[in-house]
Amino acid sequence: MLQMTDVKKVFRTDLIETHALRDFSLQVDEGDFVAVTGPSGSGKTTFLNIAGLLETFSDGTYELDGVNVSQLNDKQRSRMRNEKIGFIFQGFNLIPDLDLFDNVDVPLRYRGFNAKERRKRIEQSLDLVGLANRMKHLPAQLSGGQQQRVAIARALAGEPRFLLADEPTGNLDSTMAASVMALLQDINARGTTIVMVTHDQVLANQAKRNIFVRDGQVSELSTGAAFPNAAIA
Ligand SMILES: Nc1ncnc2c1ncn2[C@@H]1O[C@H](COP(=O)(O)OP(=O)(O)O)[C@@H](O)[C@H]1O
Ligand SMILES: [Mg+2]
């Protein structure tokens, strides 16, 4: 379970202070699938990066699986991130010189699994995303939708409890976006908790819960299908 209470994040440069999150409070329960929408610059990515222990925050509390993350040192944070969290980004972030097998292997190497265990996890996760027969392909030999599936396999290979996705369909056409969303729903049904930032209200409506972020705060909470008109679009 993920619980943020009054989390604040301020970015400071010489000239300007940006309050990216102001009293951001949210609870995400085990098994949930939360879609996060909101205007550009409202703090969605900042929230996701803090949730994923990639970024620190200035004030408030954040508990992940009952652990107050502010009290962890860098090494403990990294370990918790590697063990519990998988990330998917808009730009896929695959390594172009590595084939699919080796791309999915990258985070597993950090975890110290032996070669046999890694191979098993890589094959299983590529199989789950329907790319088991492409293991020796390079990312450039795949469509955008397939590349995002590889990124999802990479995120899942470590069997994370939480999958955090920042506009995972932002670079995809609507058909590919729908298939990536279907895959995420399947993964959620298998028990992985998902938080997904998206611009796409149609996809957001397919999640179990919708939250809306504005000016660094959660300004609206609603259950799925809260925007029936958008769903028809
Ligand atoms: N590293 C950073 N340094 C300074 N300002 C930042 C940084 N990251 C984000 N911001 C600012 O924080 C606000 C929220 O950004 P972000 O979380 O990326 O919004 P969103 O993902 O909703 O578009 C924006 O005003 C953005 O310019
Ligand atoms: Mg963003």
Side-chain angles (χ1 to χ4, degrees):
M1 197 190 76
L2 180 161
Q3 176 135 36
M4 286 190 188
T5 310
D6 294 337
V7 167
K8 297 179 182 61
K9 175 71 181 179
V10 183
F11 290 108
R12 286 194 178 85
T13 65
D14 289 346
L15 295 174
I16 190 167
E17 243 184 27
T18 305
H19 294 260
L21 296 185
R22 311 168 189 259
D23 297 327
F24 191 101
S25 298
L26 179 68
Q27 178 173 324
V28 179
D29 291 329
E30 185 93 52
D32 215 342
F33 189 158
V34 180
V36 181
T37 54
S40 178
S42 58
K44 304 181 300 296
T45 293
T46 303
F47 151 64
L48 217 58
N49 288 343
I50 290 174
L53 307 178
L54 288 172
E55 233 170 302
T56 57
F57 52 97
S58 14
D59 213 344
T61 56
Y62 172 27
E63 280 190 17
L64 184 61
D65 280 342
V67 175
N68 182 344
V69 305
S70 304
Q71 285 165 4
L72 301 177
N73 62 33
D74 284 352
K75 199 174 162 192
Q76 292 168 321
R77 286 166 61 85
S78 301
R79 181 182 300 150
M80 192 167 194
R81 180 171 60 236
N82 288 332
E83 285 178 5
K84 297 200 185 226
I85 294 168
F87 271 102
I88 312 170
F89 303 94
Q90 178 174 358
F92 320 141
N93 294 15
L94 300 174
I95 300 171
D97 299 340
L98 297 184
D99 66 23
L100 305 197
F101 185 96
D102 288 336
N103 262 286
V104 176
D105 195 19
V106 170
L108 297 179
R109 287 173 173 269
Y110 284 108
R111 297 276 297 277
F113 296 123
N114 66 37
K116 190 174 164 216
E117 173 70 19
R118 291 189 348 248
R119 169 167 293 278
K120 188 184 97 196
R121 285 170 177 252
I122 295 164
E123 289 175 354
Q124 277 176 352
S125 59
L126 281 171
D127 192 40
L128 179 70
V129 303
L131 289 170
N133 56 352
R134 307 273 182 126
M135 281 191 290
K136 294 293 157 203
H137 282 64
L138 293 171
Q141 296 172 306
L142 304 179
S143 70
Q146 289 171 326
Q147 290 186 50
Q148 191 59 298
R149 286 172 173 271
V150 178
I152 293 170
R154 180 184 55 189
L156 289 176
E159 298 179 0
R161 299 261 316 282
F162 298 93
L163 190 58
L164 305 180
D166 197 353
E167 311 212 19
T169 64
N171 283 352
L172 303 179
D173 67 39
S174 59
T175 309
M176 286 186 190
S179 94
V180 165
M181 183 64 189
L183 176 60
L184 292 177
Q185 285 180 298
D186 182 35
I187 288 161
N188 176 245
R190 292 162 185 259
T192 307
T193 306
I194 301 182
V195 180
M196 175 183 76
V197 170
T198 183
H199 268 115
D200 188 329
Q201 193 60 56
V202 176
L203 296 186
N205 288 341
Q206 294 171 35
K208 288 178 177 165
R209 254 175 92 201
N210 273 236
I211 70 159
F212 189 77
V213 177
R214 171 170 291 156
D215 293 334
Q217 282 189 314
V218 177
S219 82
E220 200 175 306
L221 284 165
S222 50
T223 50
F227 303 92
N229 295 333
I232 301 164

